[in-house]
Amino acid sequence: MTDMNPGKNKVIGLCGRSGSGKTTVCGAFEKLGIKSIDTDKVYRELTAPCSDGTPSKLVSLIRKRFGDEVVRSDGSLDRAVLAGIVFGEGNGENLRDLNMITHEHILSETERRIDKYFREGVRGVIVDAPALFESRFDKKCDVILCVSAPDDVLVERIMKRDSISEEAALRRLSSQISDKELRERADYIIENDGETDLSLAAGNVAGKIFNK
């Protein structure tokens, strides 16, 4: 485990395109004593049905914009149906509208959790936020870390992980910020071309961040 010197609590914003390996990197940081927050999991929790089976406040807002078909009979959000609406070709406006609805709620809950961790004495928190820059949450981070991988590797990983076609995987990537731009906006970069030891790479980056 990396020996981290005392210092200011730090929020690490993690970016990278779908399939780049951000979850694995978060796990490596967790082993170093850095708490992680996956904003997609926060989103899932915020869109889970209420205890009485009715839609949550966030799901109700999404339904108001995109229609009843995005809500399952148990009150939960039908992410597959919603994905078809926002990630289809020419649906950029739908994706922007969804982000406008969800970002505020997701980031508010994320900040609450960060504050809780810091009150508990945690040295740092790494936040896996797929929309890190679109939501402007990068402004609240002390450091930006990018996990990068070649497009062909990403497509293969997404197809296998989500059981979708190559065309669907490519559409998903096309809706995201380019790898080039993410790399330019990051303070640190981990290359994940399939040959990198992500745990070792994460440890090296953590040492640089916390021993400055």
Side-chain angles (χ1 to χ4, degrees):
M1 181 177 293
T2 301
D3 182 17
M4 297 183 180
N5 295 326
K8 177 180 177 293
N9 292 334
K10 293 186 178 179
V11 177
I12 305 166
L14 182 64
C15 65
R17 307 183 83 195
S18 184
S20 61
K22 297 188 298 296
T23 299
T24 302
V25 169
C26 280
F29 270 87
E30 286 267 7
K31 292 178 181 178
L32 297 171
I34 307 304
K35 290 291 187 180
S36 71
I37 298 175
D38 181 344
T39 57
D40 190 55
K41 289 184 179 178
V42 172
Y43 178 46
R44 288 178 182 274
E45 293 172 14
L46 292 175
T47 54
C50 299
S51 57
D52 61 359
T54 58
S56 68
K57 177 181 178 181
L58 182 52
V59 170
S60 295
L61 292 172
I62 294 172
R63 177 169 62 182
K64 184 176 180 180
R65 167 61 179 83
F66 295 103
D68 292 339
E69 64 269 25
V70 301
V71 182
R72 294 194 179 99
S73 59
D74 65 357
S76 63
L77 181 68
D78 193 322
R79 288 165 63 97
V81 171
L82 185 60
I85 295 173
V86 301
F87 290 119
E89 186 174 352
N91 288 345
E93 182 177 347
N94 288 341
L95 181 58
R96 287 193 295 272
D97 287 352
L98 178 64
N99 288 339
M100 287 182 63
I101 294 168
T102 60
H103 284 169
E104 177 184 354
H105 297 268
I106 296 170
L107 298 184
S108 176
E109 175 61 18
T110 298
E111 289 189 67
R112 186 193 69 78
R113 295 185 187 194
I114 291 172
D115 289 341
K116 176 177 179 291
Y117 284 141
F118 285 162
R119 288 197 304 271
E120 293 171 351
V122 171
R123 293 284 325 287
V125 179
I126 184 166
V127 180
D128 178 358
L132 181 68
F133 298 108
E134 297 93 327
S135 65
R136 300 184 65 80
F137 190 72
D138 61 303
K139 304 300 182 184
K140 299 181 180 294
C141 298
D142 300 292
V143 176
I144 304 298
L145 169 61
C146 172
V147 186
S148 177
D151 280 3
D152 59 334
V153 174
L154 296 180
V155 169
E156 184 177 345
R157 289 175 182 164
I158 295 170
M159 290 172 61
K160 182 176 180 180
R161 182 192 67 195
D162 298 340
S163 300
I164 60 176
S165 67
E166 180 179 3
E167 181 182 2
L170 288 168
R171 280 202 308 269
R172 187 166 301 180
L173 287 176
S174 69
S175 70
Q176 300 173 4
I177 294 179
S178 71
D179 182 68
K180 181 178 183 293
E181 182 175 348
L182 293 177
R183 294 170 69 96
E184 290 174 347
R185 300 176 75 168
D187 299 293
Y188 299 95
I189 299 170
I190 291 178
E191 306 284 358
N192 184 18
D193 55 7
E195 299 180 3
T196 303
D197 183 329
L198 291 184
S199 294
L200 179 61
N204 289 337
V205 171
K208 293 175 183 177
I209 292 173
F210 288 93
N211 292 325
K212 270 189 166 183

